[in-house]
Amino acid sequence: MELNFKKAGHDYYEPVRFTPFSCETMRESIVPDSCADIARIVDTTGLVCLTNRELTGDGRFCASGSVDVSVLYIPEKEEGVRSLHFQIPFQCYGEGQADAECEFLDIRGELHSIDTRVLNPRKVLTRANLTLHPAGCRHVSLSVCTGVEDGEGVQLLREQRQTRVAAGVREKEFTFTEELPLSPGRGGAEEILSTRVDVRGTDSKLIGSKLVVKGIISACVLYREAGGRLALLQQELPFSQIIEGGGFDEDCESEAAYRLLSCECRQGSESAPDDAYVLTMTLMLCTRVTVWRTEEICFIADLYSTSAPVECQTAELSLSEDSQRGVRRQNVRELLETGVAVRSVVDTAIRCGGVQSSGGELKLPMWARCLYLDENDVPGAVSREFTVTLPAEAAGAGEDAECQAEAACHGDIIANIMPEGIELRFPIECAMSTSVRRRYVCVSGGETADEEEERAAVPSLILRKMGPGETLWSIAKQYRATREGILTVNDLTGEEQITPEKLLLIPRARA
């Protein structure tokens, strides 16, 4: 006879990450007629603006957008540094994801390298290499057996587990505009040479039916003053946004991530467009908020009947457990060899790539760049790619753990001029999320069978010890007794009182 099970439904999302994929894009650019011929390239920088991402019909990931490029160069027959600004569009695909189920797709773009070479004094070729990191959520719908209706003599071994799951994702695009005043004691901005921005979240809360997110934009603008001197403006700009968060419980947690859609920095303000002592920065951003909750899942790990044999059907239940989040900090020192004597450092930048978890360690790919003036006040640039490793105890992940991490440099960068070049000292923060993927066997169905003839030959009382690896449940199931009955006849209150030497009296269950 088929058993009638009580069932509980669970609907949620769990995060899933995919293999990063690469993209190369390039462009030939003409120097405008208003600019002098190029004598030498000093440096090239770029901002990745990822405007569209989708999962195509054949299961591939598609990412598109542009790289906003600034090329610093020395012009012929003129003094000082000039800049070319242009965009390189890109559209690239990640292969081999045809069998992936994914909702709330997100792709983070990372500029791996960028360089420019002169084709002739009026034309340059710029090549940018990107690494794109896709991620999303997989919908999970569980129907789990939790009990049996009208199951006479049925004994249940229930287990309860907690898993941290995504309740949903919300996104919102918004515009951020800020006027940045320059120091009145210096020359005003004659030309903006390059712009760099870093967006990070500082807080995310669910208040009523609204998600309130806060963050900081670290803005860095390199410009040429009216007198030709290079100057750097650095500011941290706070922002906040309110997003519709209906449908989530107030005890849910949330975390926000940000994606740059466009960036513009111009001289002047809205009221004074020609003011050389004010820069106006306008960003288009997309905030993506993931809302998390704790899901309690109760299931039947095993069952039997004292009155009849039972044939069970089972299924595997995979849960992410023991979720932990934390931030690891480490100070880094790196030497960038210039090959020439350095008089002063104009600008420094640190970029962190996608963190890789391997062998209990976290490997952080990093890029350092310096813009400097040599002893003759001639500008130059030096860059270096290297890897920072966090030790196993800092990684917080064993072989059976899933670890996701993202690193960034949010502190001051100290540049010391050395005989060999420029020594950089800076802090990095690595935000980590670890969990353990555990798999359980749970009962998904069952039915009782006819009594075996051999059952009548089983003695009514058994006297035995508990063997290695046995539990009170396994013994009771073997003899179709009950755990409560065994404890009662042996004058015990709990399984912890049973020692390997103790003889247990096991009463035969009544048919």
Side-chain angles (χ1 to χ4, degrees):
M1 182 180 66
E2 186 174 354
L3 295 174
N4 188 16
F5 285 90
K6 301 175 183 178
K7 295 187 177 182
H10 301 271
D11 278 278
Y12 56 85
Y13 299 90
E14 61 181 13
V16 56
R17 294 182 182 272
F18 302 92
T19 303
F21 57 99
S22 301
C23 171
E24 181 181 80
T25 184
M26 63 181 69
R27 171 181 166 171
E28 291 185 359
S29 304
I30 304 296
V31 178
D33 295 337
S34 58
C35 298
D37 290 352
I38 293 178
R40 179 174 66 89
I41 300 293
V42 176
D43 194 19
T44 304
T45 59
L47 282 175
V48 178
C49 299
L50 202 155
T51 54
N52 186 50
R53 71 270 195 256
E54 62 179 332
L55 190 63
T56 62
D58 56 0
R60 295 187 299 167
F61 292 117
C62 175
S64 59
S66 64
V67 181
D68 289 4
V69 180
S70 298
V71 179
L72 304 185
Y73 69 95
I74 302 295
E76 291 184 352
K77 301 177 182 179
E78 291 186 15
E79 294 183 355
V81 179
R82 301 292 186 270
S83 182
L84 291 177
H85 303 285
F86 51 87
Q87 292 182 329
I88 305 179
F90 67 85
Q91 184 176 39
C92 53
Y93 295 86
E95 302 288 347
Q97 308 290 347
D99 58 345
E101 298 179 3
C102 184
E103 297 185 41
F104 306 123
L105 174 65
D106 189 36
I107 299 179
R108 180 173 60 86
E110 170 189 298
L111 185 62
H112 185 271
S113 64
I114 186 168
D115 65 88
T116 302
R117 63 186 181 93
V118 178
L119 300 179
N120 62 55
R122 306 299 301 174
K123 183 186 289 187
V124 298
L125 173 65
T126 301
R127 179 182 286 105
N129 290 284
L130 309 177
T131 302
L132 298 136
H133 301 266
C137 292
R138 178 189 294 113
H139 180 247
V140 177
S141 182
L142 293 177
S143 180
V144 184
C145 295
T146 59
V148 176
E149 295 181 354
D150 302 326
E152 182 180 355
V154 174
Q155 305 296 305
L156 302 177
L157 179 63
R158 291 188 178 94
E159 293 190 17
Q160 185 167 307
R161 295 288 183 267
Q162 286 188 346
T163 180
R164 185 173 183 261
V165 301
V169 176
R170 298 286 187 269
E171 285 191 348
K172 179 184 179 182
E173 295 183 4
F174 65 96
T175 302
F176 175 87
T177 301
E178 187 77 13
E179 294 181 357
L180 311 175
L182 304 181
S183 174
R186 302 188 59 166
E190 186 174 74
E191 181 185 2
I192 295 175
L193 300 176
S194 67
T195 302
R196 187 172 69 250
V197 295
D198 175 63
V199 185
R200 68 181 188 273
T202 57
D203 194 18
S204 178
K205 291 181 180 179
L206 184 63
I207 303 177
S209 63
K210 303 296 182 182
L211 285 162
V212 180
V213 297
K214 298 179 181 180
I216 292 176
I217 297 170
S218 297
C220 182
V221 183
L222 178 70
Y223 62 96
R224 191 182 71 252
E225 295 181 343
R229 184 170 58 175
L230 297 180
L232 191 68
L233 173 67
Q234 292 178 295
Q235 284 197 18
E236 291 201 334
L237 312 171
F239 69 90
S240 62
Q241 285 289 307
I242 298 176
I243 306 171
E244 182 59 43
F248 300 126
D249 296 331
E250 285 198 13
D251 59 349
C252 290
E253 300 177 350
S254 62
E255 57 186 21
Y258 298 88
R259 180 163 47 89
L260 182 65
L261 303 178
S262 67
C263 174
E264 179 190 16
C265 187
R266 59 180 176 83
Q267 295 161 268
S269 62
E270 184 176 356
S271 58
D274 298 325
D275 189 347
Y277 286 89
V278 176
L279 304 178
T280 299
M281 177 172 287
T282 302
L283 305 179
M284 279 287 296
L285 297 168
C286 177
T287 177
R288 173 188 175 91
V289 184
T290 304
V291 181
W292 302 91
R293 73 167 187 259
T294 299
E295 189 85 359
E296 298 273 359
I297 297 181
C298 180
F299 60 94
I300 302 173
D302 196 8
L303 68 79
Y304 66 93
S305 174
T306 60
S307 58
V310 176
E311 295 181 359
C312 289
Q313 292 86 50
T314 60
E316 184 180 82
L317 181 63
S318 176
L319 299 177
S320 179
E321 298 180 340
D322 300 336
S323 296
Q324 297 181 15
R325 291 177 295 166
V327 176
R328 303 291 182 182
R329 296 174 175 86
Q330 184 163 310
N331 293 320
V332 179
R333 183 173 64 180
E334 195 70 23
L335 177 65
L336 279 61
E337 297 181 355
T338 57
V340 299
V342 176
R343 180 189 297 275
S344 62
V345 176
V346 179
D347 184 23
T348 58
I350 301 293
R351 291 190 293 110
C352 300
V355 181
Q356 300 174 355
S357 177
S358 175
E361 292 182 332
L362 295 179
K363 296 186 180 298
L364 286 56
M366 309 197 74
W367 294 265
R369 167 189 155 273
C370 280
L371 181 66
Y372 62 88
L373 298 177
D374 66 13
E375 288 187 322
N376 299 315
D377 284 336
V378 176
V382 61
S383 61
R384 176 175 168 80
E385 181 178 352
F386 55 96
T387 300
V388 174
T389 300
L390 291 180
E393 60 268 24
E399 293 183 357
D400 58 346
E402 300 173 344
C403 180
Q404 300 294 338
E406 187 170 339
C409 174
H410 293 319
D412 295 333
I413 304 172
I414 300 174
N416 297 317
I417 298 174
M418 310 290 286
E420 304 89 348
I422 302 169
E423 181 192 66
L424 297 182
R425 298 188 182 193
F426 55 91
I428 56 171
E429 292 184 357
C430 186
M432 297 186 303
S433 175
T434 61
S435 61
V436 179
R437 175 66 60 175
R438 293 193 176 96
R439 291 170 172 81
Y440 302 95
V441 175
C442 62
V443 174
S444 59
E447 58 183 17
T448 58
D450 293 336
E451 181 63 84
E452 305 144 342
E453 294 181 2
E454 293 84 353
R455 178 66 178 168
V458 176
S460 59
L461 288 176
I462 298 99
L463 193 64
R464 55 162 293 182
K465 296 179 182 180
M466 182 180 287
E470 286 188 318
T471 63
L472 189 60
W473 169 269
S474 63
I475 292 175
K477 180 180 179 180
Q478 179 182 353
Y479 298 103
R480 285 184 19 201
T482 66
R483 288 178 294 182
E484 295 77 9
I486 295 174
L487 292 173
T488 299
V489 299
N490 289 277
D491 291 327
L492 300 173
T493 59
E495 185 173 351
E496 67 279 358
Q497 293 179 297
I498 303 175
T499 63
E501 297 78 19
K502 184 175 181 59
L503 284 172
L504 293 177
L505 182 63
I506 302 172
R508 179 182 178 184
R510 298 181 183 276

